[in-house]
Amino acid sequence: MTSPYTVRAVVEEVTALGPFFAVQAHPPGTEPPGPWQPLSRPLLEARVTGVRDSLAAAGGQPPGAVETRVAASVAHLGLAARLVSPALAAAVLHGLVLASGLADLRWQPVIGGPGPLSLPGDAFTDGHADSPTGIADELSSRLLDGPLRELADAMAEFSVSRHILWGNTASAVNGAATMITSSRPELSARTRTLTSLLLERSPLREAGTTTPDGTFRRRSCCLIYRAAPDRNGALCGDCALSR
């Protein structure tokens, strides 16, 4: 495990990459004061409802016009991005892997942007920094099969298919990599190598594909187009439905 001092330094460097990377740290085994909360079922329900209301308002529609599964998918994509972004950045910058489970993380119920995220001070562990393959293996077992799978399990209860949920996760990985390379161009090669290795691992292997020119395309859709009037909204750039 990294020392508390190292964790603070990592948090500062990761947070500097942008809003989706911003994290705080709380002492391991302690409960940070409100408004920090665990990602409970009530918190997820409130987030899905808030996202549905926001999507409906953007289209000038009543909340009931937006399907719950659409709002849940969009909410999941945002939460997955909040988990993936700092985790990938720590791996790229320092060869560290987020080893905490979903129950160890704390959130603030904010709608309309990246929700505040706090990690326990012992959240990161050494991911074999001398080997990108070793780091990708650790990320797969500790992150993909850890809090990201737990998050997918929780969001699947809102009638969102696993195919869509893992597509959201793969899209979040690619999006985080794009933001890292934009902010820190000198990290481009390392970021893309690690991202490619991670996207090759199950269940992300089945969730998307990367073309020879490096363009990522998911094999599913986050469904956000269905939130617009007549379910005729714009598609995301990496959507399987885009042509």
Side-chain angles (χ1 to χ4, degrees), residues 71-164:
S73 175
V74 174
H76 171 263
L77 180 54
L79 292 171
R82 284 298 283 123
L83 271 173
V84 164
S85 297
L88 183 62
V92 168
L93 289 165
H94 298 287
L96 298 175
V97 173
L98 181 65
S100 297
L102 197 62
D104 301 316
L105 312 179
R106 293 297 179 265
W107 307 76
Q108 291 184 19
V110 174
I111 302 294
L117 172 63
S118 183
L119 310 175
D122 58 356
F124 297 107
T125 188
D126 187 358
H128 306 291
D130 59 334
S131 167
T133 299
I135 298 174
D137 287 340
E138 287 291 309
L139 283 171
S140 179
S141 64
R142 292 180 179 270
L143 181 64
L144 295 182
D145 284 333
L148 286 171
R149 186 173 295 279
E150 295 174 67
L151 180 62
D153 289 343
M155 299 307 289
E157 296 180 9
F158 293 89
S159 300
V160 186
S161 77
R162 302 283 177 159
H163 183 55
I164 289 174

Side-chain angles (χ1 to χ4, degrees), residues 148-215:
L148 286 171
R149 186 173 295 279
E150 295 174 67
L151 180 62
D153 289 343
M155 299 307 289
E157 296 180 9
F158 293 89
S159 300
V160 186
S161 77
R162 302 283 177 159
H163 183 55
I164 289 174
L165 293 170
W166 286 115
N168 287 348
T169 306
S171 181
V173 170
N174 180 70
T178 299
M179 287 188 281
I180 293 171
T181 58
S182 177
S183 180
R184 298 279 298 273
E186 75 278 12
L187 298 174
S188 294
R190 180 173 174 82
T191 300
R192 289 303 175 188
T193 296
L194 186 54
T195 300
S196 295
L197 289 168
L198 189 58
L199 290 172
E200 289 172 359
R201 282 155 173 74
S202 182
L204 300 189
R205 184 189 307 117
E206 296 79 22
T209 184
T210 303
T211 62
D213 67 356
T215 300

Side-chain angles (χ1 to χ4, degrees), residues 18-107:
F20 274 93
F21 298 85
V23 291
Q24 298 185 37
H26 57 269
T30 67
E31 191 64 39
W36 294 106
Q37 301 178 29
L39 200 63
S40 61
R41 173 71 185 199
L43 184 62
L44 284 176
E45 290 176 347
R47 188 164 189 87
V48 170
T49 298
V51 169
R52 183 199 64 193
D53 294 350
S54 179
L55 290 172
Q61 306 175 92
V66 176
E67 302 158 271
T68 298
R69 72 185 183 107
V70 172
S73 175
V74 174
H76 171 263
L77 180 54
L79 292 171
R82 284 298 283 123
L83 271 173
V84 164
S85 297
L88 183 62
V92 168
L93 289 165
H94 298 287
L96 298 175
V97 173
L98 181 65
S100 297
L102 197 62
D104 301 316
L105 312 179
R106 293 297 179 265
W107 307 76

